[in-house]
Amino acid sequence: MSQDSFLQKKNQILSQIETTLGNVPDISPKGSIDELCVPIMNLINSHNDMVTTSSCSGRVSVFLEGVKVKDEGSSSKIGGKGDGGHWLFVEHDKTKIQDWHKDKFQYGQVPTTSDLSTRYILFKFEPLILHVKCRNYETASALYTTAMGCGFRESGIGINNIVAIRISIKLDIPIGYYNQENDTPIAFVTEEYLQMITQLSLDRFEENERRLNMLYEAISKMQVQAPKDSEQQETKEQRRERKRKEGLAKQQQKQAQIEQIEATEQKTTE
Amino acid sequence: MSQDSFLQKKNQILSQIETTLGNVPDISPKGSIDELCVPIMNLINSHNDMVTTSSCSGRVSVFLEGVKVKDEGSSSKIGGKGDGGHWLFVEHDKTKIQDWHKDKFQYGQVPTTSDLSTRYILFKFEPLILHVKCRNYETASALYTTAMGCGFRESGIGINNIVAIRISIKLDIPIGYYNQENDTPIAFVTEEYLQMITQLSLDRFEENERRLNMLYEAISKMQVQAPKDSEQQETKEQRRERKRKEGLAKQQQKQAQIEQIEATEQKTTE
């Protein structure tokens, strides 16, 4: 992507973000950018070669599955929306999750005949996710390495140098089902259980925020290796500076590689 | 990475895999490669420019957290091992999970005072994960696009052209805690609940296998764009063939891009 087309795309995205931050709703139902993401978005967007394309600072959600159809040919509905599936609760602000379950359920038992027609209610904690479009592979690679170093172990570079920054602190819990007969959501866990997983989500929100702050610090110090095709135009001083930065980047990469291997080993040996 | 060093690394990995398949245990506690992964590993390794570096076909695990210490400076223990944390159960074979919970727990209530000293017991379903080292970016990019197209939406390219193939059908459920006083694991969900999440895991195992088969088919038809530095040496015929493949790859990329955008929108608008 040439400088001009990247800049053009970036400016387009930035003007959308500005509109949203000025309280004009964006396309999401929430209608705004998560407050916690604003500082890191500003930091990333102040960098010449990066622009944020989507963000979610983390959230708690409660989802009622739709009607599932067993069809080998179609894409699966496991944990998916299904027909008529919808959210009973979505909240990105940790200060507003304490009493989400009040008066939402009747309490009961796991249904005795559970099959595909059972519409489960799922409680989820989902952590930060950030997508960042980079001008070139060198920048994408530096950002990926930086994110991995901060514990965002499920990060990856996609096509067109878009980096997805992901971490794996999740909760994914069936808490009830929908009773079709009397049109009522039934919780098959106790109210104390719902309070406990709400507290566990708060802990995860805090951990998530701690990682976000680490990532902010690391990105503010990030060094990017010069793209290969820029080498011919550089002066002696530029070359010296580039070599220094490359040395640093290599060190960071090596560290991230070690951590990646460790993380992989943990998964395969667990 | 030059052809020789890639091949050297690949041969080294292949000989390790062969040893493991010949019933000499590998370094994981399980001591072997998951049977379900063998066909796709063979397919990937038959390709000149790819080699599998780690794999897990999916599993159910039950983990007892260790003793957690609140320390702002250290890395977090949320959902992590903690001191003395260990698995109560790990199984990769879906035919062996039915009665995992029998005689493992006393059944009780959520503890009234739950804090950092509470050692939770977590039930997890984790899907397929595959790491594939590619000779060049073009191969990594084609594999990434192929995996995304098969629903492995959390895939990504890391450094050194290692592609992580990941999907997000998980379960992550607190099911009990450890009672220190009488040295007993207590389930704070019912036995029926444990049976139900075991059944949900079986459904996920099947979905996981369906995706794995899709991925196998897609990789067997995968087209790789020729690396840029090979263009000068090609003949007219080679160039024509390359252009044709590039066209196909672009189509695939476009499709994956659309799907990636849709998936991102789903996340940000959910």
Side-chain angles (χ1 to χ4, degrees), chain B residues 62-73:
Chain B
V62 181
F63 185 73
L64 169 59
E65 290 181 342
V67 177
K68 286 157 280 186
V69 181
K70 184 84 169 177
D71 178 358
E72 288 297 318

Side-chain angles (χ1 to χ4, degrees), chain A residues 133-153:
Chain A
K133 185 166 177 57
C134 299
R135 183 191 297 274
N136 48 41
Y137 179 73
E138 289 74 12
T139 308
S141 180
L143 180 61
Y144 165 81
T145 306
T146 302
M148 289 293 282
C150 294
F152 290 84
R153 306 291 195 162

Side-chain angles (χ1 to χ4, degrees), chain A residues 28-29 54 59 76 87 144 154-155 157-158 160 166 170 172-174 193 207 210 257 264 268-270, chain B residues 28-29 54 59 76 87 144 154-155 157-158 160 166 170 172-174 193 196 207 210 257 264 268-270:
Chain A
S28 70
S54 79
R59 68 178 189 184
S76 162
W87 275 266
Y144 165 81
E154 300 204 349
S155 299
I157 305 171
N160 296 330
R166 277 184 294 249
K170 295 180 184 175
D172 202 332
I173 310 172
Y193 184 90
E207 169 65 6
R210 200 177 70 81
Q257 247 176 316
T264 309
T268 50
T269 59
E270 272 168 15
Chain B
S28 70
S54 79
R59 68 178 189 183
S76 162
W87 275 267
Y144 165 82
E154 300 203 348
S155 299
I157 305 171
N160 295 330
R166 277 184 294 250
K170 294 180 185 176
D172 202 332
I173 309 173
Y193 185 90
M196 178 206 63
E207 169 64 7
R210 199 177 70 81
Q257 246 176 317
T264 308
T268 49
T269 59
E270 273 168 14

Side-chain angles (χ1 to χ4, degrees), chain B residues 86-249:
Chain B
H86 60 273
W87 275 267
L88 302 177
F89 180 74
V90 181
E91 187 53 67
H92 295 66
D93 181 347
K94 67 178 179 191
T95 67
K96 293 180 182 162
I97 65 169
Q98 201 60 62
D99 291 324
W100 70 269
H101 50 81
K102 286 269 182 272
D103 307 323
K104 271 214 165 58
F105 304 105
Q106 278 182 19
Y107 290 86
Q109 304 298 320
V110 171
T112 43
T113 53
S114 170
D115 56 27
L116 263 181
S117 70
T118 307
R119 295 173 62 189
Y120 288 103
I121 299 170
L122 302 164
F123 176 97
K124 290 188 188 202
F125 173 80
E126 292 163 295
L128 175 79
I129 181 162
L130 260 181
H131 285 94
V132 181
K133 184 167 178 57
C134 299
R135 183 191 296 275
N136 48 40
Y137 179 74
E138 289 74 12
T139 309
S141 181
L143 181 60
Y144 165 82
T145 306
T146 303
M148 289 293 282
C150 294
F152 291 83
R153 306 293 195 160
E154 300 203 348
S155 299
I157 305 171
I159 44 173
N160 295 330
N161 299 315
I162 292 176
V163 181
I165 298 179
R166 277 184 294 250
I167 193 166
S168 136
I169 42 168
K170 294 180 185 176
L171 289 173
D172 202 332
I173 309 173
I175 56 169
Y177 70 102
Y178 191 70
N179 187 332
Q180 314 270 11
E181 284 163 30
N182 58 5
D183 200 23
T184 309
I186 309 288
F188 46 49
V189 292
T190 61
E191 188 164 2
E192 291 71 29
Y193 185 90
L194 295 181
Q195 278 161 359
M196 178 206 63
I197 59 175
T198 305
Q199 183 56 48
L200 290 182
S201 299
L202 279 174
D203 296 346
R204 278 161 174 72
F205 264 119
E206 276 171 28
E207 169 64 7
N208 188 53
E209 217 171 310
R210 199 177 70 81
R211 295 279 177 181
L212 179 61
N213 292 338
M214 272 179 75
L215 185 64
Y216 183 96
E217 289 304 318
I219 290 176
S220 69
K221 292 172 195 153
M222 194 175 92
Q223 305 283 353
V224 179
Q225 210 171 350
K228 278 177 192 148
D229 55 7
S230 72
E231 283 181 34
Q232 292 153 342
Q233 303 146 19
E234 70 190 348
T235 64
K236 252 186 181 173
E237 288 69 31
Q238 282 170 334
R239 184 181 146 81
R240 199 176 302 131
E241 177 59 12
R242 176 172 61 77
K243 287 289 178 189
R244 193 185 66 77
K245 285 181 180 172
E246 282 177 10
L248 269 171

Side-chain angles (χ1 to χ4, degrees), chain A residues 90-105:
Chain A
V90 181
E91 186 53 67
H92 295 67
D93 181 347
K94 68 179 178 191
T95 66
K96 293 178 181 163
I97 64 169
Q98 201 62 60
D99 290 326
W100 70 269
H101 50 82
K102 286 270 180 272
D103 307 322
K104 271 214 164 56
F105 304 104

Side-chain angles (χ1 to χ4, degrees), chain A residues 59-63 79 122-126 171-173 201:
Chain A
R59 68 178 189 184
V60 155
S61 70
V62 181
F63 185 74
L122 302 164
F123 176 98
K124 289 187 189 203
F125 173 81
E126 292 163 294
L171 289 173
D172 202 332
I173 310 172
S201 299

Side-chain angles (χ1 to χ4, degrees), chain A residues 189-217:
Chain A
V189 292
T190 60
E191 189 164 1
E192 291 70 31
Y193 184 90
L194 295 181
Q195 279 161 356
M196 177 207 63
I197 59 175
T198 305
Q199 182 57 47
L200 290 181
S201 299
L202 279 174
D203 296 346
R204 278 161 173 73
F205 264 120
E206 276 170 27
E207 169 65 6
N208 189 53
E209 217 172 310
R210 200 177 70 81
R211 294 280 177 182
L212 179 60
N213 292 338
M214 271 179 75
L215 185 64
Y216 184 97
E217 289 303 317

Side-chain angles (χ1 to χ4, degrees), chain B residues 1-10 135:
Chain B
M1 184 176 275
S2 74
Q3 179 158 340
D4 285 349
S5 70
F6 178 82
L7 248 183
Q8 209 174 343
K9 179 82 187 159
K10 177 168 178 169
R135 183 191 296 275

